[in-house]
Amino acid sequence: MTVSKPENITSRSAALFEEAKRYIPGGVNSPVRAFRGVGGNPLFFQGGEGAWLTDEDSNRYIDYVGAWGPLILGHRHPDVIEALQAQLTHGLGYGASTEAEVTIAKTICKLVPSIERVRLVTSGTEATMSAIRVARGYTRRDKVVKFEGCYHGHVDGLLVKAGSGALTLGEPDSLGVPKAYTDLTYVLPYNDAAALEKLFETNGDEIACIIVEPVAGNMNLVPPVPGYLETMRELCTHYGSVLIFDEVMTGFRVALGGAQAHYNVTPDLTALGKVIGGGLPVGAFGGKREIMEMIAPMGPVYQAGTLAGSPLAVAAGMAMLNAIQKPGFHDELNRRSKALMNGLQARADAANIPFTTHQLGGMFGCFFSEEESISTFEQVMACDVERFRRYFHLMLNNGVYLAPSAFEAGFVSAAHGDEEINKTLDAAEIAFAAL
Ligand code: KE4
């Protein structure tokens, strides 16, 4: 595509961004890509290989976004490419069932035992939206509990104090969402068990469900404090509410069985996405058979999707799920992520930069903060976002592509080897010295 390059444009990415803004709101198809959280023009990428991305000006970067989590094997893993090429010889999709859908459903139920029945959709948003609808249908209740800083996709009733792009834009509440919807949504502080107990004492019998990121990854990375998830489980069991773990990001990433396996807390429903699509559009929601059988065509809760279970997307997802089941996969991913965090911490300390890290499996979070650890939305919001912005661009200029927002987690893939980790730490040493 030839894009006219006005005089003052210094790069092809910038030229493409100017062109994009003439046709796409903000020039992007998802807000966080616009670099509003870090300033400057967004990069446009021409391709990726392993742990590396190449932008439209042929600059190469070590990629810690990984398409926001799906690419746990890195870009263009041979198993995924091969699976896609094989499916292409049969077709792109039929709007009818295929054997591959049975295979991936069986695999998800095997790897996440709390999931007895699962329905595929085409995004994480659809997964969480559908899980909430079936929880409301099952309990015949309307109220939903979510947490400040947690993001579950752009579901109308959940865009209140959302994380991720909504937080990055500094407008946690979204216009266009009727007040009537958000009147049904309680928003509580994350990691505050007392506030949750208090709400259930007064309103437990009207609460259809809790939806939670069992490890918050959309206000940067904030793990649950000990006992927090267990409290949710006890309250939902006692009051007959449905506990929904939104594992769109944590699923298959913090552990093979997700955060629910890591913390040994069993939700009633789970939302999945990202990794299960191998980089193509797949989401899923599933859980207890008695709840999931409320869904059409078996039950009265309607849910549907033209491209649900797309053979191409399922082929990519299955290739990825097979690869991550190899013995030691997650131990090695955890080791590499830990090595990266330890290295960053050591270099920040050496440069006397207040810096805090969290890491779990192939996910990590870095904060410019004096705090030993970060466990609340308030602590996240008190971090030095301006310093993060400078850090982001210093790292970018040294060939490392981090999430363009202080409110996002980072992702390590199996393709991030010693070379990539060491180059990242070298870039960080330069960056910390300049902060
Ligand atoms: P999608 O509808 O974007 O596929 O998934 C929504 C979603 C649901 N739940 C969790 C825990 C999520 O993290 C997400 C989406 N994650 C963001 C990144 N933090 C997607 C990036 C974007 O919005 O462009």
Side-chain angles (χ1 to χ4, degrees):
M1 166 180 158
T2 52
V3 170
S4 59
K5 202 170 167 182
E7 270 46 46
N8 63 340
I9 292 291
T10 53
S11 73
R12 186 159 162 66
S13 276
L16 282 165
F17 189 44
E18 288 311 307
E19 185 88 359
K21 283 188 283 189
R22 292 173 52 194
Y23 308 102
I24 307 168
V28 292
N29 283 310
S30 197
V32 70
R33 303 178 188 175
F35 274 33
R36 291 283 179 94
V38 291
N41 280 335
L43 293 178
F44 281 59
F45 292 104
Q46 59 174 282
E49 195 68 41
W52 296 79
L53 271 173
T54 303
D55 73 11
E56 282 292 351
D57 297 284
S58 301
N59 301 307
R60 295 184 72 234
Y61 307 88
I62 299 166
D63 175 22
Y64 287 102
V65 178
W68 298 103
L71 302 182
I72 198 167
L73 300 176
H75 293 273
R76 288 176 36 77
H77 188 280
D79 293 2
V80 176
I81 301 302
E82 204 177 298
L84 286 169
Q85 286 167 336
Q87 177 55 40
L88 282 173
T89 63
H90 298 289
L92 300 180
Y94 323 109
S97 297
T98 62
E99 180 183 359
E101 290 165 81
V102 181
T103 308
I104 198 166
K106 202 157 60 175
T107 302
I108 291 170
C109 292
K110 178 187 80 170
L111 298 178
V112 189
S114 69
I115 298 180
E116 296 171 337
R117 293 290 185 277
V118 61
R119 172 65 61 89
L120 293 182
V121 294
T122 47
S123 71
T125 296
E126 274 188 272
T128 57
M129 175 181 72
S130 309
I132 286 171
R133 185 180 308 133
V134 73
R136 283 173 161 156
Y138 176 71
T139 59
R140 304 302 197 278
R141 301 174 186 175
D142 295 335
K143 294 283 175 68
V144 169
V145 180
K146 80 170 289 285
F147 302 92
E148 270 181 324
C150 286
Y151 175 70
H152 306 287
H154 58 97
V155 188
D156 273 347
L158 299 184
L159 279 176
V160 275
K161 294 192 191 297
S164 187
L167 202 57
T168 302
L169 294 178
E171 296 161 9
D173 300 323
S174 169
L175 286 182
V177 176
K179 181 95 178 55
Y181 285 31
T182 51
D183 285 347
L184 296 174
T185 309
Y186 291 111
V187 185
L188 294 182
Y190 189 75
N191 272 333
D192 182 340
L196 194 58
E197 284 162 342
K198 189 165 179 298
L199 175 68
F200 270 84
E201 273 158 32
T202 54
N203 302 84
D205 55 2
E206 62 176 14
I207 292 173
C209 61
I210 289 177
I211 184 162
V212 66
E213 291 181 63
V215 177
N218 287 287
M219 50 172 148
N220 209 309
L221 195 157
V222 178
V225 296
Y228 187 52
L229 299 178
E230 290 82 351
T231 300
M232 287 185 194
R233 178 62 280 165
E234 286 153 22
L235 288 168
C236 284
T237 302
H238 181 78
Y239 287 92
S241 305
V242 173
L243 178 55
I244 303 173
F245 274 8
D246 177 353
E247 296 225 44
V248 167
M249 188 186 284
T250 55
F252 309 107
R253 180 165 280 279
V254 301
L256 181 57
Q260 57 195 271
H262 180 80
Y263 292 103
N264 194 25
V265 175
T266 304
D268 302 305
L269 293 177
T270 300
L272 295 168
K274 298 183 192 276
V275 168
I276 60 170
L280 271 68
V282 177
F285 65 104
K288 278 184 176 166
R289 178 176 178 176
E290 62 187 289
I291 301 176
M292 290 300 288
E293 291 189 342
M294 295 287 292
I295 295 171
M298 280 198 83
V301 177
Y302 195 70
Q303 184 277 330
T306 304
L307 298 174
S310 146
L312 265 186
V314 169
M318 260 322 296
M320 191 162 276
L321 290 178
N322 287 332
I324 67 173
Q325 290 179 70
K326 291 201 175 71
F329 178 88
H330 284 86
D331 290 344
E332 180 57 20
L333 194 65
N334 194 51
R335 187 191 67 76
R336 293 180 191 189
S337 305
K338 210 174 276 304
L340 176 65
M341 290 304 107
N342 292 342
L344 291 175
Q345 190 65 63
R347 286 156 180 78
D349 294 349
N352 294 315
I353 302 283
F355 191 74
T356 302
T357 65
H358 288 315
Q359 175 268 329
L360 202 60
M363 274 172 80
F364 65 84
C366 299
F367 303 84
F368 286 94
S369 167
E370 304 276 356
E371 304 273 3
E372 268 304 298
S373 83
I374 304 279
S375 61
T376 68
F377 179 74
E378 283 67 30
Q379 286 177 313
V380 170
M381 297 309 285
C383 292
D384 189 340
V385 176
E386 193 39 51
R387 196 166 224 178
F388 170 78
R389 289 196 182 113
R390 297 203 306 278
Y391 172 68
F392 173 85
H393 284 287
L394 285 162
M395 292 294 271
L396 196 66
N397 294 341
N398 284 280
V400 177
Y401 180 59
L402 301 171
S405 160
F407 306 109
E408 294 287 354
F411 302 100
V412 173
S413 80
H416 288 77
D418 292 345
E419 179 202 351
E420 286 75 20
I421 303 289
N422 293 332
K423 282 183 185 299
T424 304
L425 295 178
D426 292 345
E429 192 154 353
I430 296 166
F432 288 137
L435 279 178

